[in-house]
Amino acid sequence: MKIPEIKLIPQPETDEAEKALGYEWNKEAGTRHKLGGEPDGLSEEMYPKCVSCNSKMTFYAQIDSIGDKYDLADCMVIHQFVCFDCFEVSCQLTQTIV
């Protein structure tokens, strides 16, 4: 199953949150949040398998590093996967090219 891509755009609700966003040195990092579509930096062969049924999981979401202050190991993203049969989930940190 493939979920259609839905871009997520951060909407900070405070001045402190606004200041946390973005990178001084890279304009793409911190903007790669999305639901569905294809995960950045991963091929389908790299998708995890469900622990319960051993089926390849569906890519569900990608959460990017927030910014310089809350960086995930040099701009990594969190990829979330789900098995729609068993409702097991799996997450992994992935380094993508920016």
Side-chain angles (χ1 to χ4, degrees), residues 23-86:
Y23 288 83
E24 298 267 334
W25 56 275
N26 188 310
K27 298 303 178 199
E28 184 181 350
T31 66
R32 301 169 291 178
H33 314 287
K34 63 181 171 180
L35 300 173
E38 301 289 333
D40 295 344
L42 287 182
S43 65
E44 201 167 321
E45 295 80 36
M46 299 169 76
Y47 289 18
K49 291 193 175 188
C50 177
V51 174
S52 297
C53 71
N54 204 37
S55 294
K56 184 170 27 174
M57 299 177 95
T58 299
F59 171 66
Y60 195 82
Q62 174 175 298
I63 305 298
D64 200 354
S65 291
I66 296 171
D68 286 316
K69 187 173 179 181
Y70 302 103
D71 185 54
L72 295 172
D74 198 20
C75 298
M76 293 181 104
V77 297
I78 302 169
H79 289 121
Q80 293 91 27
F81 296 85
V82 65
C83 174
F84 280 100
D85 293 325
C86 304

Side-chain angles (χ1 to χ4, degrees), residues 7-27:
K7 182 80 170 157
L8 300 177
I9 301 169
Q11 295 182 303
E13 296 186 8
T14 65
D15 288 339
E16 179 183 25
E18 179 71 34
K19 291 175 186 171
L21 294 177
Y23 288 83
E24 298 267 334
W25 56 275
N26 188 310
K27 298 303 178 199

